[in-house]
């Protein structure tokens, strides 16, 4: 209804007044009356009389006076009135220009409410001096809505400001990429440093300050840590002012290492101190490990920016906190995981077991409780055991891999895991039975058989009918006979014979839970080649090493790693929502490749929703080029392309070309 006030139809305006007059602003009411006057219509209408009274005028006013009232109401004075009465983003946005001196004076005489402050601060043309004035009365609203500037960052915090204001201002300033000098001179230092840590920003200027003022001197770091908590000045002040008073002899706020199973973020003073540690050279870290508390070690090694030298220091240190802290990182590569595992610490193994890059052989070693030392066993950490026993299926990611039940030596886990991760194949199932029998006796096998057909498992049975028949009964030599059969079935020759007998990638034999000998399969393929689709199916099996997948997988990533052209790969392999964004970010695939060759077109276009910021802008630029050379100025082609898109099997480029060609 708002647009009707400028229409040339008096009847429509009067109707809008009657229906929605209470929702319209004074400026809109006056504009509607002026439109009625300009149309030459009669003003003898009770609705118009009521509207004139609400707008503070009369129907007897001449047109020039009415036009002046309209100009005033639609200008800054009217905006101020509306901001006082009903802050409306749509109405304020209709005014392309505001007299900001008038706004500033109005705010000075009577501060705007919070809603109005947000609307004003959000405008791109709002001057910095107005931002500062608004900040003095509604600081959180301004730092949330306004574009950030050096002046706003440097403005004194209002006397009764909350911590939330300081944190939000620092956070927005770091996100806005304000100059390092402004950030380091902003107060209070703890919240600015915490914001730097939160956004993983390490300023070169901060590196220089830390190196010059603190170096690797543990006493200086101890004093700084004590001062940090109550420091209200800037980071520059914190690092350059000489401390007063007696220095602390013990590490301030010292605490033990937290529960490594809790994935908590570092915040507050500890996050601020971590930002300083991230700015320090690695030699400083190595020098401080013997002085800082274990909680600070945990903060740095679990959440700090990675240094290769940490691993050697952790393995050489008598303090287990270093190794336990490092083990919680989810960005550890396979080599680092393997080295940490050699310390034979169940707490470390608990974390490594959950790592993305945990190797198959190390997973097997942890579950089989074999230490790297030559004697004894290495029990599972109680937290890991509890984690594995807690899974009951349904929603949530399963913690089990294919051979976990076979490799595990914990009886409760061996009986629990197969309920939710079946062991496939006769030889693997017999290996599970043999391992149970050898480790826990025939009674354990009977328990497994009881579970197999019991009501607790929703799969129906855990072992095949053939295996159940063969392990049932009291035959004295059964264990020895089964062991011999399993040993023969697990040989390289047996595995290769099984694979040569497979005729389809969907064969049940490829789903069997074998501990495949990947090197032997590769070597056999060089002499007696396996079909490509059989090797590709093997690449999807748990435990398949990266080098095997790179050599034989038919995934987009594997093909690019082999040097195959993106056009050929995308013509055969549908675009994948997980692989494509990662490959684009790594520079292995371009957006032009995705739109020119990726199929189907609808799936290729959805890739734009899976990336952010610069990556998305690059994708939109590539799409724009494809559009400009095809459907850009052809409305009919646009309509046809949109109609064809959901079911179109080809690429985006083919879709656009087809739509353009079909519409001439």
């Amino acid at each position: 209804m708002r647009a009707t006030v400028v229409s040339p139809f008096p009847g429509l305006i009067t109707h809008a007044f009657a229906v929605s007059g209470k929702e319209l602003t004074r400026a809109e009411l006056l504009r509607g009356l002026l439109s009625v006057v300009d149309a030459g219509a009669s003003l003898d209408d009770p609705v118009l009389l009521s509207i004139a009274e609400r707008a503070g005028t009369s129907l007897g006013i001449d047109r020039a006076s009415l036009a002046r009232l309209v100009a005033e109401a639609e200008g800054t004075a009217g905006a101020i009135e509306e901001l006082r009465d009903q802050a409306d983003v749509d109405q304020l946005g209709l005014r392309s220009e505001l007299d900001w001196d008038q706004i500033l004076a109005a705010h000075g005489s009577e501060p705007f409410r919070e809603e109005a402050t947000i609307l004003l601060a959000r405008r791109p043309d709002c001057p910095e001096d107005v931002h500062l004035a608004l900040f003095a009365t509604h600081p959180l609203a301004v730092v949330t809505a306004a574009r950030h500037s050096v002046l706003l960052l440097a403005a004194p915090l209002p006397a009764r400001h909350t911590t939330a204001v300081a944190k939000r201002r620092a956070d927005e300033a770091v996100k806005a990429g304000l100059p390092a000098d402004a950030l380091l001179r902003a107060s209070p230092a703890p919240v600015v440093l915490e914001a730097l840590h939160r956004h993983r920003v390490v300023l070169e200027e901060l590196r220089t300050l830390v190196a010059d003022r603190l170096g690797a001197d543990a006493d200086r770091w101890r004093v700084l840590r004590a001062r940090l908590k109550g420091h209200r000045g800037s980071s520059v002040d914190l690092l350059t002012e000489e401390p007063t008073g007696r220095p602390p002899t013990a590490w301030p706020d010292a605490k033990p290492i937290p529960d490594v199973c809790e994935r908590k973020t570092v915040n507050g003073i500890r996050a601020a101190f971590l930002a300083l540690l991230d700015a320090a050279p690695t030699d400083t870290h190595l020098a401080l490990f013997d002085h800082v508390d274990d909680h600070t070690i945990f903060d740095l090694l679990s959440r700090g920016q990675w240094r290769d030298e940490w691993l050697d220091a952790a393995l050489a240190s008598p303090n287990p906190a270093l190794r336990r802290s490092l083990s919680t990182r989810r960005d550890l590569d396979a080599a680092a995981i393997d080295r940490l595992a050699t310390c034979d610490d169940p707490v470390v193994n608990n974390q490594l077991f959950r790592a993305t890059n945990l190797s198959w052989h190390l997973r097997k070693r942890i579950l089989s409780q074999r230490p790297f030392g030559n004697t004894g066993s290495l029990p599972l950490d109680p937290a890991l055991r509890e984690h594995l026993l807690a899974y009951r299926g349904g929603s949530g990611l399963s913690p089990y891999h294919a051979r976990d039940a076979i490799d595990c030596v914990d009886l409760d886990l061996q009986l629990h895991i197969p309920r939710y991760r079946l062991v496939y194949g006769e030889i693997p199932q017999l290996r599970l039975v043999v391992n149970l029998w050898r480790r826990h006796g025939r009674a354990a096998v009977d328990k497994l058989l009881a579970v197999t057909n019991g009501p607790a498992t929703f799969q129906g049975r855990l072992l095949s009918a053939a295996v159940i028949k063969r392990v049932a009964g009291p035959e004295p030599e059964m264990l020895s006979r089964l062991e011999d059969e399993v040993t023969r079935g697990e040989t390289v020759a047996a595995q290769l014979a099984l694979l040569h007998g497979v005729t389809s990638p969907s064969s049940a034999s490829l789903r069997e839970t074998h501990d495949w000998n990947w090197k032997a399969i590769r070597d056999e393929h060089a002499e007696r080649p396996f079909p490509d689709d059989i090797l590709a199916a093997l690449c999807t099996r748990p435990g398949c090493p990266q080098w095997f997948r790179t050599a034989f997988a038919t995934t987009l990533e594997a093909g690019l790693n082999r040097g195959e052209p993106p056009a050929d790969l995308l013509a055969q392999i549908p675009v994948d929502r997980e692989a494509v964004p990662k490959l684009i970010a790594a520079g292995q695939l371009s957006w032009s490749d995705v739109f020119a060759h990726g199929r189907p077109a609808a799936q290729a276009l959805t890739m734009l929703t899976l990336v952010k910021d610069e990556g998305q802008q690059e994708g939109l630029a590539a799409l724009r080029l494809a559009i400009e050379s095809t459907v850009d100025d052809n409305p009919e082609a646009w309509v046809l392309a949109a109609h064809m898109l959901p079911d179109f099997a080809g690429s985006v480029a083919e879709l656009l070309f087809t739509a353009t060609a079909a519409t001439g």
Side-chain angles (χ1 to χ4, degrees):
M1 287 291 182
R2 293 186 183 278
T4 61
V5 299
V6 294
S7 77
F9 306 109
L12 181 60
I13 297 173
T14 302
H15 175 71
F17 282 159
V19 174
S20 304
K22 293 181 179 180
E23 300 173 12
L24 300 178
T25 65
R26 179 170 178 268
E28 290 169 327
L29 298 177
L30 289 170
R31 171 58 69 179
L33 290 174
L34 183 60
S35 297
V36 172
V37 169
D38 286 343
S42 170
L43 300 179
D44 187 17
D45 189 299
V47 172
L48 297 180
L49 178 61
S50 173
I51 291 299
E53 291 176 353
R54 282 193 53 221
T57 185
S58 68
L59 295 180
I61 190 173
D62 61 90
R63 188 200 179 283
S65 299
L66 181 58
R68 283 195 296 272
L69 288 177
V70 170
E72 181 181 307
E74 292 181 344
T76 301
I80 293 171
E81 181 181 330
E82 292 169 14
L83 288 168
R84 300 283 192 212
D85 295 338
Q86 50 182 37
D88 188 325
V89 62
D90 293 331
Q91 290 304 305
L92 191 64
L94 291 175
R95 294 172 169 87
S96 59
E97 293 184 2
L98 290 174
D99 184 334
W100 289 104
D101 289 337
Q102 195 174 348
I103 294 285
L104 193 60
H107 180 67
S109 62
E110 181 187 345
F112 291 110
R113 291 175 294 117
E114 184 175 17
E115 297 84 352
T117 296
I118 292 173
L119 295 180
L120 290 168
R122 188 179 290 159
R123 282 184 64 107
D125 57 337
C126 182
E128 289 186 340
D129 59 339
V130 176
H131 276 158
L132 296 180
L134 297 171
F135 176 75
T137 54
H138 296 291
L140 186 58
V142 173
V143 298
T144 302
R147 68 185 185 284
H148 277 259
S149 65
V150 172
L151 278 177
L152 184 57
L153 178 61
L157 288 165
R160 292 188 295 175
H161 80 278
T162 63
T163 303
V165 174
K167 285 191 172 186
R168 185 62 181 263
R169 180 171 70 169
D171 197 65
E172 296 294 337
V174 172
K175 284 198 297 185
L178 294 188
D181 183 64
L183 292 170
L184 295 179
R185 293 187 180 280
S187 301
V191 298
V192 176
L193 293 170
E194 182 183 5
L196 290 172
H197 164 71
R198 186 161 46 251
H199 294 284
R200 314 296 288 169
V201 173
V202 180
L203 303 171
E204 289 302 319
E205 292 81 351
L206 185 58
R207 292 186 196 274
T208 301
L209 273 173
V210 167
D212 289 348
R213 305 299 299 185
L214 301 176
D217 189 324
D219 291 335
R220 285 183 173 272
W221 279 94
R222 187 184 298 111
V223 170
L224 179 136
R225 179 63 177 82
R227 295 178 60 213
L228 184 59
K229 190 170 186 178
H231 187 72
R232 309 311 301 166
S234 70
S235 301
V236 171
D237 297 336
L238 176 69
L239 289 163
T240 58
E241 289 177 353
E242 287 298 327
T244 58
R246 180 177 300 177
T249 55
W251 191 262
D253 195 24
K255 292 183 180 179
I257 185 172
D259 184 350
V260 295
C261 293
E262 295 184 3
R263 307 294 297 171
K264 292 183 177 179
T265 58
V266 183
N267 51 46
I269 296 301
R270 289 194 172 275
F273 191 66
L274 180 51
L276 295 169
L277 288 172
D278 269 337
T282 305
D283 288 346
T284 296
H285 297 170
L286 304 183
L288 290 176
F289 284 150
D290 290 335
H291 300 276
V292 302
D293 62 309
D294 284 353
H295 200 308
T296 298
I297 287 175
F298 177 80
D299 293 341
L300 176 61
L301 297 191
S302 68
R303 302 292 189 269
Q305 298 198 7
W306 176 262
R307 315 290 173 93
D308 290 338
E309 295 84 351
W310 287 348
L311 186 56
D312 288 334
L315 292 172
S317 174
N319 184 358
L322 277 75
R323 296 181 290 277
R324 292 178 176 182
S325 300
L326 276 181
S327 71
T328 66
R329 297 185 71 101
R330 294 298 178 254
D331 58 353
L332 292 174
D333 61 27
I337 291 171
D338 287 348
R339 291 188 65 194
L340 281 170
T342 62
C343 69
D344 287 339
D345 182 344
V347 177
V348 169
N349 285 351
N350 173 22
Q351 293 301 313
L352 298 181
F353 192 83
R354 307 163 194 244
T356 304
N357 292 318
L358 178 71
S359 62
W360 185 263
H361 74 86
L362 185 53
R363 185 183 185 91
K364 179 177 181 178
R365 190 175 197 118
I366 292 172
L367 287 172
S368 62
Q369 300 184 16
R370 289 186 294 120
F372 283 86
N374 293 325
T375 59
S377 64
L378 185 65
L380 295 179
D381 182 57
L384 176 58
R385 187 175 184 274
E386 181 181 352
H387 167 68
L388 293 174
L389 284 172
Y391 184 74
R392 292 291 189 273
S395 60
L397 186 65
S398 168
Y400 311 130
H401 284 196
R403 287 182 63 87
D404 285 355
I406 297 173
D407 298 329
C408 186
V409 301
D410 184 291
L411 177 59
D412 291 337
L413 280 171
Q414 277 198 293
L415 296 176
H416 178 76
I417 293 173
R419 296 169 182 253
Y420 308 105
R421 188 63 184 259
L422 289 178
V423 175
Y424 292 101
E426 187 169 323
I427 292 299
Q429 287 188 0
L430 288 174
R431 168 55 70 189
L432 172 62
V433 171
V434 167
N435 285 357
L436 264 175
W437 199 333
R438 276 292 181 201
R439 293 164 181 163
H440 305 292
R442 173 69 204 203
V445 177
D446 292 337
K447 284 186 177 180
L448 179 66
L449 293 174
V451 169
T452 296
N453 292 307
T457 170
F458 55 80
Q459 287 95 343
R461 61 162 52 105
L462 307 185
L463 301 177
S464 68
V467 170
I468 292 173
K469 184 176 181 180
R470 296 181 58 193
V471 302
E475 183 183 335
E477 302 299 323
M478 182 184 296
L479 177 59
S480 176
R481 177 175 55 79
L482 291 177
E483 281 186 316
D484 290 343
E485 183 178 347
V486 170
T487 299
R488 289 192 302 271
E490 291 178 339
T491 61
V492 169
Q495 287 191 2
L496 296 179
L498 184 151
L499 290 177
H500 278 300
V502 172
T503 58
S504 167
S506 60
S507 169
S509 297
L510 294 178
R511 296 198 304 273
E512 292 185 3
T513 317
H514 292 285
D515 188 3
W516 296 104
N517 191 314
W518 302 103
K519 291 182 180 179
I521 295 171
R522 178 196 60 191
D523 295 342
E524 176 74 2
H525 179 66
E527 299 293 330
R528 298 175 59 200
F530 296 105
D532 290 344
D533 57 352
I534 302 301
L535 291 174
L538 277 174
C539 290
T540 66
R541 302 308 302 146
C544 179
Q546 180 62 46
W547 61 263
F548 193 95
R549 290 199 299 271
T550 299
F552 301 115
T554 56
T555 63
L556 186 56
E557 182 176 8
L560 291 172
N561 289 336
R562 291 193 292 267
E564 297 178 32
D568 295 347
L569 292 167
L570 288 167
Q572 305 169 42
I573 304 170
V575 291
D576 178 81
R577 63 184 293 111
E578 293 185 5
V580 168
K582 183 175 70 172
L583 293 170
I584 288 175
Q588 292 183 267
L589 192 66
S590 70
W591 282 108
S592 57
D593 289 328
V594 172
F595 295 136
H597 311 292
R599 61 197 62 233
Q603 183 73 358
L605 289 171
T606 63
M607 297 301 109
L608 285 169
T609 67
L610 304 177
V611 294
K612 297 179 179 179
D613 303 329
E614 185 177 346
Q616 190 176 70
Q617 294 305 313
E618 291 174 355
L620 291 171
L623 181 60
R624 201 171 293 116
L625 286 175
I627 289 172
E628 287 174 354
S629 60
T630 51
V631 302
D632 195 20
D633 296 320
N634 187 336
E636 293 181 357
W638 273 105
V639 172
L640 181 58
H643 180 73
M644 295 167 60
L645 178 61
D647 301 315
F648 193 76
S651 69
V652 173
E654 292 167 343
L655 170 72
L656 299 176
F657 177 81
T658 301
T660 303
T663 56

